[in-house]
Amino acid sequence: MESHNKISWSAPRDFYFEKTPLWFTIAIAVAIVFNVGAIITKNILTIIVFILATVMFFVHETRDPEEIKISLDERGITAGKNFYQYADLESFWIFYDPPFNYISVKSKKSFIPYIKILLEDQNPVTIRHYLMEHIPEKKQKEGFIEIIERILRI
């Protein structure tokens, strides 16, 4: 939905990749290796941490992605329950590499340096022009974590 003062849409909170049986086989094998390594070291804290991390990882990766409402208006950007005022944002860049299309917004706050917002079926040119009215566009490089997430499909 779009008006001259607001652009809004729904999108998953993060990229979602359908998990294949091969993906689960590899993930389980890696988890077993790490957990066996922890058992061999006989470090009870490491064993507990790896087991909890394994459970949390599989719970997270098997959930359906949360759908959030996103809106851009005169005051700032709303993504789900989070609101970011333009005054708190340094710049933005749109990564457009279908199907991995998203806005990366650099925050002035150090504890949340970058905010990733998926574009879904939004026109990136329209979004770009709208954001340029409020914050500068500055080229960013895709982060190491984002690249690894795409390669590993997590």
Side-chain angles (χ1 to χ4, degrees):
M1 178 177 12
E2 186 178 330
S3 74
H4 59 47
N5 293 328
K6 184 176 184 176
I7 300 174
S8 60
W9 69 95
S10 293
R13 181 171 298 284
D14 210 345
F15 292 116
Y16 176 75
F17 300 99
E18 195 67 39
K19 307 301 188 274
T20 65
L22 176 62
W23 185 93
F24 279 106
T25 302
I26 292 169
I28 289 169
V30 169
I32 289 170
V33 167
F34 277 107
N35 285 299
V36 167
I39 291 168
I40 289 171
T41 66
K42 297 180 183 175
N43 183 332
I44 191 72
L45 184 60
T46 304
I47 295 168
I48 292 170
V49 167
F50 279 156
I51 289 172
L52 287 175
T54 300
V55 170
M56 288 173 32
F57 176 78
F58 280 102
V59 167
H60 180 268
E61 290 303 317
T62 54
R63 280 191 310 184
D64 288 334
E66 178 187 359
E67 192 81 11
I68 61 171
K69 300 274 186 206
I70 299 160
S71 65
L72 313 176
D73 62 28
E74 295 299 319
R75 300 176 310 124
I77 301 171
T78 303
K81 297 176 183 173
N82 301 313
F83 176 71
Y84 308 98
Q85 291 182 0
Y86 291 125
D88 296 332
L89 303 176
E90 190 173 308
S91 63
F92 78 96
W93 184 253
I94 295 179
F95 288 94
Y96 191 76
D97 183 20
F100 306 105
N101 307 325
Y102 65 95
I103 308 165
S104 177
V105 182
K106 186 173 183 187
S107 173
K108 292 179 182 174
K109 297 181 180 183
S110 58
F111 60 92
I112 48 165
Y114 291 94
I115 302 150
K116 182 168 53 174
I117 301 169
L118 303 189
L119 285 174
E120 283 298 281
D121 59 354
Q122 292 299 303
N123 182 336
V125 176
T126 304
I127 302 294
R128 178 178 176 260
H129 288 299
Y130 190 90
L131 286 174
M132 285 174 66
E133 294 176 11
H134 303 285
I135 53 176
E137 178 183 41
K138 186 175 179 188
K139 186 171 176 77
Q140 300 174 9
K141 290 186 178 178
E142 195 167 34
F144 179 72
I145 298 297
E146 285 80 12
I147 294 168
I148 295 299
E149 284 176 336
R150 262 205 334 259
I151 291 170
L152 296 179
R153 304 180 82 62
I154 56 177

